[in-house]
Amino acid sequence: MAAGTAYEPVIGLEIHVELSTKSKMFCGCEARFGGIPNTRTCPVCSAQPGALPVINREAIRHIARIALALDCRIAPGSIFHRKNYFYPDLPKGYQISQYDMPFAVEGHLDVTMDGEQHRVGIERVHQEEDTGKNIHAGESGRIAGAIYSLIDFNRCGIPLVEIVTKPDIHSPQVARSFLNKLKNTLQYLDVSDCNMEEGSLRCDANVSVRPAGSDLLGVKTELKNMNSFKHLEKGLAKEIERQIGLLEAGRPVVQQTVHYEVASGEVHPMRSKEYAHDYRYFPEPDLSPLEISQDFVDDVRTGMPELPSVRAARYVTELNLPEYDAEVLTSNRDTSDFFDETLNYFDDQKMLSNWVMGDLGAYLNASGKKLSIETVSPGQADQLCWLSPAGFGEFLAMIKDGEIAAASGKAVLPEMCETGKTAREIVEEKGLAQISDTARIEALIDRVIEANPEQREQYKSGKKQVLGYFVGQVMKESGGRANPRTVNEILREKL
Ligand code: ADP
Ligand code: ZN
Ligand code: MG
C-alpha cells in the first residue's frame, strides 16, 4: 500500500456473558461464581458416560431478554451444536453451543459519543455453556512456566450467552463505549452481574484495517479474553498501529490471535487462529431443537424492565432534567434506581440530581462502593454504601429547609455513607446545625459590629462592599453555622 494512505480501522466484538441463573445450563448444579473447587459438579457437567443434558428454561428467558433489548429477531426454532475441541477444562471434549441456527439474529445497539450516534449491528445472539477453569501453579500464573495445573469444574456448564456484533465499529473509543452501553443494558435486564474480575463478562475483539473509503474487509486479528474495557481500548489502538505498520512496509497482516500485554502496553501475535471447520460442528443429538413460541416471547417482553434509554427519556420529559443529567444518572442501574426511589422522599429532582452526580458520585468513585435501594446488612458493607433513599431524602430536605448549610452537608454525606447514621444524628454529634434563630444571629452581629467601628464608618460613608467583610466575620464567629441569608438581612438593617 502506498505510503500516506489513510486507513480506517474495522472492529467487531464477540462478548460472552455468564447468566445469573440459579442452576447450570444443562444440569441442576449451582451456577454461582466460586465455591470449593469441584463441589458444584454432577454426572452431566463432568461428562460421565450416559448422562443427558436438559435445557435450563430460566437461561432461555434470560437470553430472550437480551435478544429483545438488542432489537434482535428471535428464531422460532434454533438448534444446539457440539463444538469439538480438546482441552482439559472441557470434560465432554465438546462445548454445547449454537452454530448456524442461533437463538436470535439481526439486532443493533446505538451508542452516542461526543454527540454523534453510532449504530452497531448485532449479528447473532446464541446460547452456550462455560468451560471449567485451569489453574496454573507457578510464578507466572499462566501455562508457560507452570509447575503443574489444576482444574476446577465448578464453572463448567454455567450458562453463557455470546453476543456477536457486525464489523461496524471504527475506533477503539467507540468499541469501549459500546461495551459500556452493553454492560449497562445487561445490568438493567438483571441477566448477569457483569462482574469482569470474576469473568462474568468477557470480550474478544476482532480488528482489521483498510484504506479509508474502501468497503472491502481486510484480514483481521483477534484480541482474546479482554477483561477490562480500558485495556481493550488500548490494545486495539496498539494493534491498529501494528497492522498499519505492516501494510505500510508492504507486508501482509496474518489472521491470528494477538495478546495484549498490559504491563508493557505491547501486542504480541500468538498462534494462527482455528477456522470453524476445525471444530467439526455437528448437531447435538441429545437435545431436541429449541422451539420458541410467540406466547413465550410476548411473556418475556411484558416482563422487561425499563431500559436505560427509555428511562433517560422519561427523566427529560417527566422530570424536566437536562439531557446531560438523564444520561449520567441512567448510565448505572444502581444509581438510577436509587435516584428514582429517593424521589419518594424528596421532590426537588434537580437538587437531587446535582447531589447524586456531585458529592454522592464522588464518594462512590473514591470508595468503589455501590448504592442499593434494599436495606444493607453489615456483611455487605464493604461493597455497598449504607445510605438509604429515605435517609438521603431527609438529608436533602434538611439542607433545603436551612437546617444544615450546604457546605456542612458536604461533610455529613460521606459519613452517612460510611456509618449508616442519619443526617440528624451526625449534625447533632458534630454541632453542625445551622443557626437560623434570629435572636442568636443578632447577638453575634452586635458583637462583630462593636468590634469593628472603623469598618462600620466606611460602610456608612458609602463603601458598601464592606458588607462582605462583616458577613465573613459573623460566619466565622458562628463556626460557619449561621444561615448566610439571615446574616445578610440583619446586617443590612443594623449597619
Ligand atoms: P470467525 O469465523 O473468525 O469467527 P466471524 O465472521 O464469525 O469470524 O466474525 C467474528 C467477529 O469478527 C464478528 O464480530 C465480526 O463482526 C468480526 N469481523 C469479521 N470480519 C472482520 C474483519 N475483516 N475485520 C474486523 N472484524 C471482523
Ligand atoms: Zn452439573
Ligand atoms: Mg465466528
Side-chain angles (χ1 to χ4, degrees):
M1 210 107 3
T5 312
Y7 292 94
E8 178 188 51
V10 176
I11 300 167
L13 303 171
E14 296 168 284
I15 300 102
H16 283 99
V17 187
E18 254 182 17
L19 300 182
S20 50
T21 49
K22 261 205 160 78
S23 55
K24 290 186 180 179
M25 189 61 219
F26 301 111
C27 64
C29 293
E30 196 182 355
R32 216 147 40 87
F33 174 82
I36 298 168
N38 298 311
T39 53
R40 294 174 190 162
T41 58
C42 73
V44 175
C45 58
S46 63
Q48 305 305 312
L52 289 172
V54 177
I55 298 172
N56 180 338
R57 190 181 175 87
E58 196 55 25
I60 301 303
R61 287 193 80 86
H62 280 31
I63 190 177
R65 283 157 86 90
I66 297 173
L68 290 177
L70 298 176
D71 267 319
C72 290
R73 195 160 53 73
I74 294 180
S78 65
I79 59 174
F80 286 97
H81 268 75
R82 290 185 178 182
K83 180 180 182 178
N84 298 280
Y85 63 94
F86 182 77
Y87 209 64
D89 60 13
L90 193 69
K92 291 196 291 277
Y94 58 85
Q95 176 194 32
I96 302 180
S97 181
Q98 294 193 300
Y99 184 49
D100 54 358
M101 289 180 71
F103 184 83
V105 293
E106 287 170 8
H108 60 86
L109 184 68
D110 296 333
V111 291
T112 312
M113 237 189 84
D114 304 327
E116 209 184 311
Q117 184 168 305
H118 305 261
R119 170 155 293 193
V120 178
I122 303 294
E123 193 163 301
R124 55 190 278 141
V125 175
H126 75 241
Q127 183 73 64
E128 54 185 39
E129 55 174 339
D130 213 343
T131 59
K133 206 158 39 183
N134 291 321
I135 298 152
H136 303 297
E139 257 172 66
S140 66
R142 301 185 53 183
I143 193 162
I147 311 164
Y148 57 88
S149 297
L150 299 169
I151 307 173
D152 178 6
F153 288 115
N154 283 355
R155 195 180 71 176
C156 196
I158 289 184
L160 269 191
V161 163
E162 180 170 343
I163 299 164
V164 182
T165 78
K166 297 223 160 80
D168 282 353
I169 301 171
H170 300 290
S171 76
Q173 295 76 19
V174 172
R176 182 176 179 177
S177 77
F178 170 85
L179 288 168
N180 275 322
K181 174 90 180 260
L182 178 66
K183 178 178 173 191
N184 189 28
T185 303
L186 295 169
Q187 281 173 329
Y188 271 77
L189 293 172
D190 234 345
V191 292
S192 171
D193 62 16
C194 297
N195 186 330
M196 297 193 72
E197 284 95 61
E198 295 180 356
S200 326
L201 189 66
R202 318 194 281 266
C203 180
D204 301 338
N206 299 269
V207 56
S208 62
V209 298
R210 65 183 174 195
S214 161
D215 51 12
L216 298 173
L217 288 172
V219 175
K220 68 179 164 68
T221 60
E222 188 170 6
L223 287 143
K224 272 196 151 333
N225 270 323
M226 304 298 289
N227 58 2
S228 135
F229 297 163
K230 194 174 79 190
H231 294 157
L232 182 124
E233 182 184 346
K234 288 191 176 162
L236 278 172
K238 259 279 172 259
E239 175 56 12
I240 290 165
E241 213 181 284
R242 189 187 71 89
Q243 289 187 11
I244 293 176
L246 284 173
L247 296 182
E248 302 255 88
R251 289 160 56 199
V253 173
V254 178
Q255 170 152 340
Q256 60 195 167
T257 301
V258 170
H259 174 67
Y260 171 65
E261 195 181 38
V262 176
S264 64
E266 294 299 323
V267 284
H268 306 290
M270 304 278 285
R271 59 178 158 100
S272 58
K273 156 153 183 97
E274 302 88 352
Y275 289 86
H277 59 251
D278 294 334
Y279 289 123
R280 305 281 191 280
Y281 276 101
F282 68 86
E284 165 61 69
D286 291 338
L287 289 170
S288 52
L290 182 63
E291 282 175 26
I292 301 295
S293 68
Q294 194 54 47
D295 282 354
F296 180 80
V297 176
D298 291 343
D299 187 47
V300 172
R301 201 188 292 277
T302 314
M304 291 279 278
E306 183 183 45
L307 292 173
S309 48
V310 177
R311 193 177 276 196
R314 172 168 67 80
Y315 284 180
V316 173
T317 53
E318 285 177 26
L319 300 179
N320 258 321
L321 288 176
E323 276 184 24
Y324 174 80
D325 292 39
E327 185 74 25
V328 174
L329 292 171
T330 55
S331 65
N332 172 304
R333 181 171 182 182
D334 302 328
T335 304
S336 179
D337 284 351
F338 195 86
F339 173 86
D340 276 348
E341 192 63 24
T342 307
L343 280 176
N344 296 326
Y345 303 93
F346 182 70
D347 63 6
D348 181 341
Q349 59 269 28
K350 181 56 186 154
M351 180 173 165
L352 172 58
S353 164
N354 290 346
W355 276 87
V356 172
M357 296 193 301
D359 285 69
L360 183 55
Y363 170 81
L364 296 171
N365 272 337
S367 66
K369 291 188 187 176
K370 291 193 182 131
L371 293 167
S372 169
I373 55 173
E374 314 287 340
T375 310
V376 176
S377 68
Q380 301 168 305
D382 52 342
Q383 278 162 36
L384 298 180
C385 166
W386 280 108
L387 194 67
S388 70
F392 191 40
E394 179 189 47
F395 163 77
L396 293 174
M398 285 171 76
I399 293 180
K400 197 163 186 189
D401 300 342
E403 284 182 67
I404 333 171
S408 313
K410 286 181 173 299
V412 174
L413 184 62
E415 186 155 349
M416 292 175 74
C417 295
E418 280 294 306
T419 63
K421 287 184 189 162
T422 67
R424 229 166 262 293
E425 283 167 340
I426 297 168
V427 163
E428 248 161 60
E429 266 175 32
K430 302 204 161 198
L432 287 173
Q434 179 156 278
I435 306 168
S436 294
D437 166 359
T438 29
R440 279 179 68 192
I441 292 181
E442 270 188 55
L444 280 172
I445 288 178
D446 288 342
R447 235 190 297 150
V448 169
I449 294 179
E450 211 171 306
N452 296 283
E454 212 172 290
Q455 282 82 352
R456 183 183 194 181
E457 283 313 309
Q458 287 176 348
Y459 184 84
K460 277 187 166 168
S461 65
K463 229 181 142 193
K464 298 293 177 211
Q465 61 273 41
V466 186
L467 184 70
Y469 171 78
F470 279 106
V471 174
Q473 291 301 306
V474 177
M475 292 307 290
K476 201 167 141 198
E477 282 285 313
S478 74
R481 290 160 50 217
N483 183 334
R485 206 175 331 133
T486 322
V487 172
N488 255 292
E489 278 164 19
I490 303 180
L491 259 174
R492 263 178 231 276
E493 275 169 34
K494 294 231 173 203
L495 284 169

